[in-house]
C-alpha cells in the first residue's frame, strides 16, 4: 500500500491507534493472571524505560538536529530549547494533575478525593501524553519535505512505543485487580490509559503540519517530555524492588530493540 497519499495527521492517528491497541492487549493479561511477579514487573518497567530513552535520541533529538541544520538554524538550539521545554511542561502537568505512582502511598498533584485506582490510571495516562505526541510529531514531519523525516522512521517509532505499551498495560491492569477491582474493570481502566495517545498524536501532527518552523523544536520537546517520564517514574519504580539487575537488563534490552528498529527501518 502506498502511504504517501495519506494525510500525515491520519497516519499519526492510525499509528497511535496501534499503540493504544497494544496497551489494551497488555491490559488483557488481567484475564489470565491475577498477580504480576515483581521480578517480571521490574523487567517490564526497565524495558519501557530503555525504549523511551532510545526513541528520544534516535527518533526525536537526532532528527531535530538534522532538520535545524537543513533550515539554516544553529543545530543545537532547537534540540536544547525544545528538550528543556518538554521537561518543564511535564513537570508542570505533574505538579497539578492528581496521580499516584505504582509503589507509592501518597498521591501527587492537587489534592483530590479520587479513588486510588483512578489515581494509578492517571499516572500512566500522564506519561502516555509525550509518547502520543512523539509519534504524532514524527508522522507530521513527513509533510515538511525534509530528508531526515521518513515514513519508515515514524513507523519504527510507533512500533517501539507500542511494544513498551504492552507491558505497561499489564502493569496497570493487574495491580488494579489486586486493589479489588473486577477483571473487566481492571482491563477497562488499564486500556483507557492509552486513549490519550491518539489525542496527543493528532495535536502534535497537526501543529507541525501547519507550522513547519516549529518542527525541530516539537521533536526535541517530545524527547524532553519522554526523558522526564523515564527519570521521574519508570527508572525509580523499576529500581525500587530487590531485582535491580533485572530492571537494568530490561532497560538495556529495551534500548537495543528501539535502536534496532529505528536504525534498521529508519
Amino acid at each position: 500500500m502506498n502511504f504517501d497519499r495519506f494525510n500525515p495527521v491520519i497516519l499519526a492517528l492510525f499509528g497511535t491507534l496501534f499503540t493504544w491497541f497494544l496497551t489494551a492487549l497488555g491490559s488483557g493479561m488481567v484475564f489470565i493472571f491475577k498477580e504480576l511477579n515483581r521480578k517480571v514487573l521490574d523487567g517490564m518497567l526497565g524495558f519501557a524505560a530503555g525504549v523511551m530513552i532510545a526513541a528520544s535520541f534516535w527518533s526525536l533529538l537526532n532528527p531535530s538536529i538534522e532538520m535545524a541544520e537543513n533550515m539554516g538554524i544553529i543545530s543545537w538550539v532547537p534540540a536544547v530549547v525544545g528538550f528543556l521545554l518538554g521537561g518543564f511542561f511535564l513537570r508542570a502537568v505533574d505538579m497539578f494533575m492528581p496521580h499516584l505512582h505504582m509503589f507509592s502511598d501518597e498521591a501527587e498533584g492537587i489534592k483530590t478525593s479520587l479513588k486510588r485506582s483512578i489515581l494509578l490510571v492517571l499516572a500512566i495516562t500522564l506519561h502516555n501524553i509525550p509518547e502520543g505526541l512523539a509519534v504524532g510529531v514524527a508522522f507530521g514531519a513527513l509533510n515538511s519535505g525534509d530528508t531526515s523525516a521518513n515514513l519508515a522512521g515514524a513507523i519504527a517509532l510507533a512500533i517501539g512505543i507500542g511494544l513498551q505499551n504492552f507491558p505497561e498495560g499489564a502493569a496497570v491492569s493487574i495491580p488494579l485487580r489486586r486493589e479489588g477491582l473486577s477483571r473487566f474493570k481492571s482491563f477497562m481502566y488499564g486500556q483507557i490509559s492509552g486513549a490519550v495517545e491518539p489525542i496527543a498524536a493528532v495535536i502534535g501532527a497537526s501543529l507541525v503540519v501547519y507550522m513547519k518552523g516549529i518542527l525541530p523544536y516539537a521533536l526535541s520537546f517530545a524527547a524532553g517530555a519522554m526523558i522526564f517520564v523515564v527519570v521521574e517514574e519508570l527508572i525509580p519504580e523499576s529500581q525500587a524492588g530487590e531485582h535491580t539487575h533485572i530492571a537494568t537488563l530490561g532497560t538495556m534490552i529495551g534500548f537495543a530493540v528501539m535502536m534496532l528498529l529505528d536504525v534498521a527501518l529508519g
Side-chain angles (χ1 to χ4, degrees):
M1 181 181 289
N2 181 14
F3 289 94
D4 293 339
R5 60 191 178 90
F6 285 95
N7 186 305
V9 178
I10 301 300
L11 290 176
L13 176 61
F14 286 160
T16 44
L17 286 176
F18 165 75
T19 63
W20 184 10
F21 169 74
L22 286 183
T23 302
L25 206 60
S27 298
M29 293 295 101
V30 75
F31 294 109
I32 303 173
F33 304 104
K34 185 175 181 179
E35 295 285 339
L36 190 59
N37 183 282
R38 181 59 192 269
K39 184 184 294 187
V40 174
L41 178 59
D42 289 344
M44 287 162 47
L45 291 171
F47 178 86
V51 168
M52 292 177 72
I53 293 169
S56 295
F57 176 73
W58 296 102
S59 300
L60 299 170
L61 283 174
N62 196 42
S64 170
I65 293 169
E66 291 181 9
M67 287 179 186
E69 290 177 343
N70 294 340
M71 291 178 177
I73 305 171
I74 300 174
S75 60
W76 56 265
V77 171
V80 172
V81 172
F83 184 83
L84 292 176
L85 285 176
F88 292 148
F89 170 76
L90 253 289
R91 173 55 183 153
V93 176
D94 187 71
M95 287 173 62
F96 293 103
M97 180 176 174
H99 62 284
L100 179 67
H101 293 299
M102 198 171 299
F103 304 118
S104 175
D105 294 321
E106 187 175 344
E108 297 183 16
I110 60 174
K111 292 190 179 297
T112 178
S113 59
L114 291 173
K115 293 181 180 179
R116 177 181 171 88
S117 57
I118 300 297
L119 293 172
L120 286 168
V121 173
L122 287 174
I124 300 298
T125 302
L126 175 62
H127 76 67
N128 279 340
I129 294 173
E131 293 173 12
L133 182 64
V135 175
V137 171
F139 278 105
L142 301 176
N143 197 57
S144 68
D146 195 290
T147 55
S148 60
N150 62 81
L151 179 60
I155 291 175
L157 178 60
I159 292 173
I161 295 297
L163 287 175
Q164 63 98 34
N165 274 2
F166 180 86
E168 279 187 359
V172 177
S173 63
I174 294 176
L176 288 177
R177 171 66 175 159
R178 198 168 58 243
E179 291 284 324
L181 274 69
S182 68
R183 291 184 189 275
F184 180 73
K185 279 190 175 181
S186 298
F187 165 74
M188 290 303 295
Y189 283 158
Q191 63 84 27
I192 203 67
S193 67
V196 71
E197 291 191 3
I199 299 171
V202 168
I203 293 172
S206 299
L207 283 174
V208 299
V209 163
Y210 296 107
M211 293 185 285
K212 295 180 182 179
I214 70 167
L215 183 53
Y217 295 92
L219 287 165
S220 55
F221 180 94
M226 287 176 68
I227 290 298
F228 180 90
V229 169
V230 170
V231 178
E232 169 78 6
E233 184 175 345
L234 293 179
I235 289 179
E237 289 182 356
S238 71
Q239 297 284 334
E242 300 176 356
H243 311 291
T244 57
H245 58 294
I246 298 294
T248 301
L249 287 174
T251 303
M252 299 289 291
I253 293 170
F255 187 97
V257 167
M258 186 64 232
M259 179 170 61
L260 172 64
L261 284 171
D262 198 274
V263 175
L265 299 181

